[in-house]
Amino acid sequence: MGAGIGPAGVDNESVKYLVLLSFIVGAGLVYLLSSASANTDLFAHNFPLLLGATGTLVAAMLALVVYQVVQLRRKMRAGVFGTKLTIRLMLVFGLMALLPGAVVYAVSVQFLSKSIESWFDVRVDTALGSGLNLGQAALDNLQRELTVKADSMAQRLAETPASAHAVELNLLREQYNIQEATLFTERGKLISFAGNERSGLTPTAPDNSILLQVRQQQTYARIENVGDRGLYMRVVVPVNLLSFTENIRVLQLLQPVPKKLADDAEAVRLAYQDYQELSLSRLGLKRLYGLTLTLAMVLALLATVALAFLISEQMAAPLRALAKGTRAVAKGDFSQMHPVNSRDELGMLTQSFNRMTRQLSEARTTAEESRAQIEKSRAYLETILGNLTSGVVAFDEQLRVRSINPAAAQILGVDADVLRGMQPYQWPAQAPQLADFAHAIASQFQAHPDADWQQQIEYRGNQEKRMLLARGTRLPSGIDSGCILVFDDITHLVRAQRDAAWGEVARRLAHEIKNPLTPIQLSAERIEHKFASKLNPADADTLRRSTQTIVNQVSAMKEMVNAFAEYAKTPRAQLLPVNLNALIGEVLDLYGHDAAIHLQLADSLPLVMGDAKLLRQIIHNLLQNAQDALVDIAQPHIVISTGSAEHEVQLIITDNGSGLPEQVMERLFEPYATTKPKGTGLGLAIVKKIIEEHHGIIRMENRAEGGVAVCIRLPAAEQAGQVEQVA
């Protein structure tokens, strides 16, 4: 878990080192401040510097805390996870440091104030003064004794001749137990020196001020430090000689102060001096110690707050990482793995999160593999269903459409999305032509809820009637609940079977009927020829009419048999490239210049692969039917048009007749289906067979403005060649 980067570019690791360094430096400065407060020399020389350094450190710590607070505020505005926890921990740690610190601070300030006041008790002042006076009195007494000795010695020396002063001085020193006695002239010139083994090699001469005082007949007595020899009592007195010719002499006595007495007196003096100084700076001491304590308290509080920020950041970092990982997992990213840096509860939580993420990643991988396998199987199944020529519709338990393959949509002539999610009884609302079909399959599923069923259903689509063979089955309960409907368009099969049946009927009729017709005709003619001359005119006329009737009907029967024979023996088309426009022109030449026929032939019409003879028969048959339909029409109008679209060539013949009845339209291309009073009804059946031989399509429909439109679509030459090769 890396250190976070703050807004100013300072990371948490640097802040941690800054806080630690500030804490160490602050502790050192507080220690130095407390030491300086107890040491006068150190205080006098270094306390302002220490105070400034401590104040600077406090300002730096305050700036660091302010920076941390600003950083927290920015994180809160940015919505960084764990910011509220960090603020809460900072407040808790701050209060934990502030409340005890405030109590300790208040008690310490009160204690210092009372302690400082107790230092300046009146009894202590009196005791120190009395001790100082006592020591001073003892020293004064010793000094007076030495002065008396000096006066006595000066008196003896004054009565002694000057030549014997050296001997006398030494005797007097030993007599009065003096460490060092020296005799000077009034100008300070050495005359004689006497001392014991502790004396120096050379005497210490008094300065001019002392000599001046002595010349004025005044005694000098002081306790002084003599070089490095320690504290000495110095007494200097005049020696007034009895001779008027000699000037006065100066006697100096040096006697060391007893060490114990000197040390005690010096200690009392220094203590009294320090006490007086402290007494004078009592208020300053209170402020000094209070300021030191306050700075220590502020440093401790700021350091605690800064450390609380770092500790809370350290505690919130795993939670922030877990929150980031949780958001990543919610988005499907299972690659978030966080290092476990501790063995506490947070470390266990991080380890559990890593384990969960790893398991989720493995589960997703397994699920993706399963889904890929399912998708592969589904794609395989959809490919099979998409390439099936049979229509397949899957229903759920409530008989709602789950899926429908393209073949089903093509057979039914509807959009698959229209039926998806709908029950069969709802289909007619979207596709009215499906009403009968939907009712039939719904009835079958209700009648056979757990059994398979099969039914041949007549379906009337948008263009023509179709015959569908539908089969329904219930899916096994272990796989999925629901039903499957499979249906095939068997229109061409039924039509082929019917055509084959009619062909067989035509062949048998041609065979069974044609053979007796000739004998019947010959017999009728022979009867007329044999008996017509033997009968009276009336009977002969009746015989001739009857014979003619037989001959005429036999001829009609022969024509019908020939037509059936032609239907049964339709020759196989010999496909060659044919110009349909030119072929139409050749056929129209047989009709002369008929004003009722109008041409709308497309320019640059592609060639078709066809049998010119059979195509002429088609055009001739259709034109003949159109003319027969316009017999009773005042202004007959026939339009022959050609065109091309999508690799097909189409021929359309329209008339303005009365049209065809609906009952005839359903079986228009079946043999013996005709509206003519005379005719076999085989013309359109033969036309359809020829069109199918050319791999084309023929469709007839009544026009809204009246009349019939016949549309023939034939593959273009290139397309026809491909179909022929496939066939």
Side-chain angles (χ1 to χ4, degrees):
M1 303 173 188
I5 303 300
V10 182
D11 58 9
N12 289 336
E13 198 69 23
S14 300
V15 173
K16 180 172 68 175
Y17 289 128
L18 286 175
V19 172
L20 182 62
L21 180 62
S22 300
F23 189 81
I24 295 174
V25 173
L29 289 175
V30 170
Y31 174 76
L32 292 176
L33 280 174
S34 61
S35 300
S37 301
N39 190 317
T40 305
D41 293 336
L42 184 63
F43 172 79
H45 294 89
N46 300 319
F47 188 78
L49 180 61
L50 292 175
L51 192 62
T54 306
T56 302
L57 181 61
V58 169
M61 290 290 293
L62 182 61
L64 182 60
V65 171
V66 170
Y67 163 76
Q68 291 174 335
V69 172
V70 171
Q71 187 179 13
L72 276 179
R73 185 177 180 184
R74 292 182 179 179
K75 288 183 177 180
M76 179 175 289
R77 288 183 175 179
V80 178
F81 182 84
T83 305
K84 294 182 179 179
L85 177 62
T86 302
I87 294 175
R88 190 175 303 166
L89 290 175
M90 284 186 65
L91 292 176
V92 170
F93 284 130
L95 290 176
M96 289 176 61
L98 180 61
L99 294 179
V103 173
V104 172
Y105 177 76
V107 172
S108 299
V109 170
Q110 189 69 19
F111 176 77
L112 284 175
S113 179
K114 296 295 183 182
S115 299
I116 291 174
E117 289 295 335
S118 66
W119 294 349
F120 303 101
D121 193 358
V122 176
R123 290 175 295 178
V124 175
D125 191 5
T126 304
L128 288 175
S130 298
L132 185 61
N133 292 332
L134 180 62
Q136 188 65 37
L139 291 175
D140 290 344
N141 187 35
L142 290 176
Q143 189 172 357
R144 281 194 299 271
E145 289 180 359
L146 185 59
T147 302
V148 170
K149 290 179 180 180
D151 290 340
S152 176
M153 291 176 67
Q155 183 66 33
R156 292 278 299 273
L157 288 172
E159 295 174 354
T160 303
S163 58
H165 280 173
V167 177
E168 186 66 21
L169 182 63
N170 188 42
L171 292 176
L172 292 175
R173 184 196 66 76
E174 292 179 353
Q175 180 182 349
Y176 288 103
N177 194 19
I178 303 300
Q179 180 177 345
E180 182 178 324
T182 308
L183 187 63
F184 297 94
T185 64
E186 63 177 354
R187 298 299 178 183
K189 184 177 180 181
L190 178 64
I191 298 176
S192 179
F193 170 74
N196 58 14
E197 65 277 5
R198 292 190 298 274
S199 299
L201 296 178
T202 58
T204 302
D207 55 17
N208 293 329
S209 61
I210 297 175
L211 294 176
L212 178 60
Q213 182 178 344
V214 171
R215 284 198 298 267
Q216 295 176 358
Q217 298 298 312
Q218 295 179 4
T219 301
Y220 175 83
R222 291 287 187 277
I223 297 176
E224 300 175 353
N225 281 316
V226 179
D228 57 351
R229 296 166 59 184
L231 193 63
Y232 275 78
M233 292 180 291
R234 181 196 297 265
V235 176
V236 182
V237 295
V239 177
N240 297 311
L241 298 177
L242 297 178
S243 174
F244 292 101
T245 60
E246 295 286 343
N247 294 326
I248 65 171
R249 296 186 177 183
V250 178
L251 176 63
Q252 174 181 277
L253 300 181
L254 290 177
Q255 184 70 12
V257 177
K259 183 172 179 55
K260 178 62 176 174
L261 179 61
D263 292 342
D264 292 343
E266 184 65 18
V268 171
R269 185 185 67 80
L270 292 176
Y272 187 74
Q273 181 180 353
D274 292 341
Y275 179 80
Q276 291 298 325
E277 292 177 356
L278 290 175
S279 179
L280 292 175
S281 60
R282 177 168 52 184
L283 181 59
L285 282 175
K286 288 183 180 180
R287 293 177 178 175
L288 171 64
Y289 285 116
L291 180 60
T292 303
L293 188 62
T294 301
L295 289 176
M297 176 65 184
V298 171
L299 281 175
L301 180 60
L302 293 176
T304 302
V305 172
L307 285 174
F309 173 80
L310 294 178
I311 294 173
S312 59
E313 279 287 316
Q314 194 72 18
M315 294 178 64
L319 298 178
R320 188 180 299 113
L322 290 177
K324 180 181 178 182
T326 304
R327 289 192 293 269
V329 169
K331 295 179 180 178
D333 181 11
F334 300 117
S335 62
Q336 297 291 329
M337 292 291 175
H338 305 287
V340 180
N341 297 325
S342 62
R343 296 184 179 180
D344 55 6
E345 287 78 2
L346 289 176
M348 295 176 60
L349 181 61
T350 304
Q351 188 175 4
S352 299
F353 176 81
N354 291 338
R355 188 183 306 112
M356 179 197 71
T357 305
R358 186 164 47 252
Q359 292 174 352
L360 287 175
S361 179
E362 294 173 354
R364 185 178 69 172
T365 301
T366 304
E368 288 179 351
E369 291 176 354
S370 301
R371 183 174 59 186
Q373 188 65 29
I374 292 174
E375 290 294 333
K376 184 178 180 181
S377 300
R378 179 179 298 174
Y380 177 72
L381 181 59
E382 289 180 353
T383 302
I384 294 177
L385 292 177
N387 289 277
L388 282 178
T389 57
S390 299
V392 180
V393 182
F395 298 92
D396 61 8
E397 187 66 28
Q398 285 74 35
L399 214 62
R400 290 190 295 263
V401 176
R402 280 182 175 175
S403 63
I404 177 170
N405 72 333
Q410 182 179 3
I411 293 173
L412 297 178
V414 296
D415 187 0
D417 294 332
V418 173
L419 302 183
R420 190 170 286 113
M422 299 178 62
Q423 294 176 323
Y425 71 87
Q426 297 174 325
W427 292 1
Q430 299 295 330
Q433 70 273 18
L434 298 178
D436 296 337
F437 180 75
H439 177 72
I441 63 173
S443 300
Q444 288 293 337
F445 276 122
Q446 291 175 0
H448 307 86
D450 298 318
D452 297 346
W453 58 268
Q454 178 174 318
Q455 181 182 1
Q456 188 170 308
I457 303 174
E458 187 178 276
Y459 173 65
R460 192 180 302 274
N462 295 327
Q463 297 180 353
E464 60 182 357
K465 181 180 69 175
R466 295 184 178 182
M467 191 62 65
L468 305 180
L469 179 61
R471 297 176 295 276
T473 185
R474 173 74 60 176
L475 290 174
S477 59
I479 301 176
D480 197 359
S481 59
C483 305
I484 291 292
L485 173 67
V486 180
F487 55 89
D488 294 284
D489 186 358
I490 61 173
T491 305
H492 296 286
L493 178 61
V494 173
R495 187 175 298 159
Q497 292 175 347
R498 186 182 297 118
D499 291 343
W502 278 109
E504 182 64 21
V505 169
R507 187 183 63 79
R508 290 189 178 185
L509 284 176
H511 179 72
E512 299 293 337
I513 298 176
K514 186 176 181 180
N515 290 336
L517 290 179
T518 300
I520 292 173
Q521 182 179 357
L522 292 176
S523 298
E525 291 176 349
R526 189 178 296 114
I527 291 172
E528 179 187 359
H529 178 72
K530 185 175 182 179
F531 295 102
S533 59
K534 298 178 180 181
L535 297 177
N536 56 44
D539 292 334
D541 185 57
T542 302
L543 178 61
R544 279 194 300 272
R545 287 198 306 270
S546 299
T547 301
Q548 189 62 40
T549 301
I550 293 173
V551 172
N552 291 337
Q553 293 300 319
V554 168
S555 298
M557 288 291 289
K558 284 183 177 181
E559 290 179 2
M560 183 180 69
V561 169
N562 291 332
F564 273 103
E566 184 179 1
Y567 176 76
K569 297 180 181 179
T570 303
R572 184 173 180 83
Q574 300 297 321
L575 302 181
L576 295 172
V578 176
N579 188 331
L580 188 59
N581 287 343
L583 195 63
I584 293 172
E586 293 177 5
V587 174
L588 290 181
D589 289 340
L590 300 176
Y591 289 83
H593 298 284
D594 192 342
I597 300 176
H598 301 275
L599 296 179
Q600 295 180 0
L601 305 181
D603 296 333
S604 302
L605 188 68
L607 300 179
V608 296
M609 293 298 292
D611 189 319
K613 179 180 177 182
L614 296 178
L615 290 178
R616 288 192 192 95
Q617 182 179 350
I618 291 173
I619 299 171
H620 175 71
N621 197 324
L622 293 177
L623 284 175
Q624 188 63 48
N625 287 342
Q627 287 182 338
D628 292 342
L630 299 176
V631 173
D632 298 328
I633 303 301
Q635 295 180 349
H637 188 76
I638 300 174
V639 177
I640 302 176
S641 61
T642 58
S644 61
E646 298 181 357
H647 307 290
E648 288 184 337
V649 175
Q650 67 178 12
L651 168 64
I652 301 176
I653 301 176
T654 61
D655 61 63
N656 62 341
S658 58
L660 298 172
E662 288 295 329
Q663 63 270 21
V664 176
M665 291 292 292
E666 296 180 359
R667 45 192 299 269
L668 191 60
F669 296 104
E670 295 179 4
Y672 211 68
T674 181
T675 59
K676 299 178 182 179
K678 296 181 179 181
T680 61
L682 296 175
L684 290 179
I686 295 173
V687 167
K688 187 173 185 303
K689 289 187 68 176
I690 295 175
I691 294 298
E692 290 176 350
E693 283 289 329
H694 286 74
H695 310 291
I697 299 173
I698 182 171
R699 187 177 73 252
M700 294 184 64
E701 59 185 12
N702 288 323
R703 300 170 63 205
E705 59 272 19
V708 176
V710 181
C711 179
I712 298 175
R713 290 191 176 184
L714 298 173
E718 181 180 353
Q719 190 72 12
Q722 295 176 0
V723 174
E724 182 66 22
Q725 291 175 6
V726 173

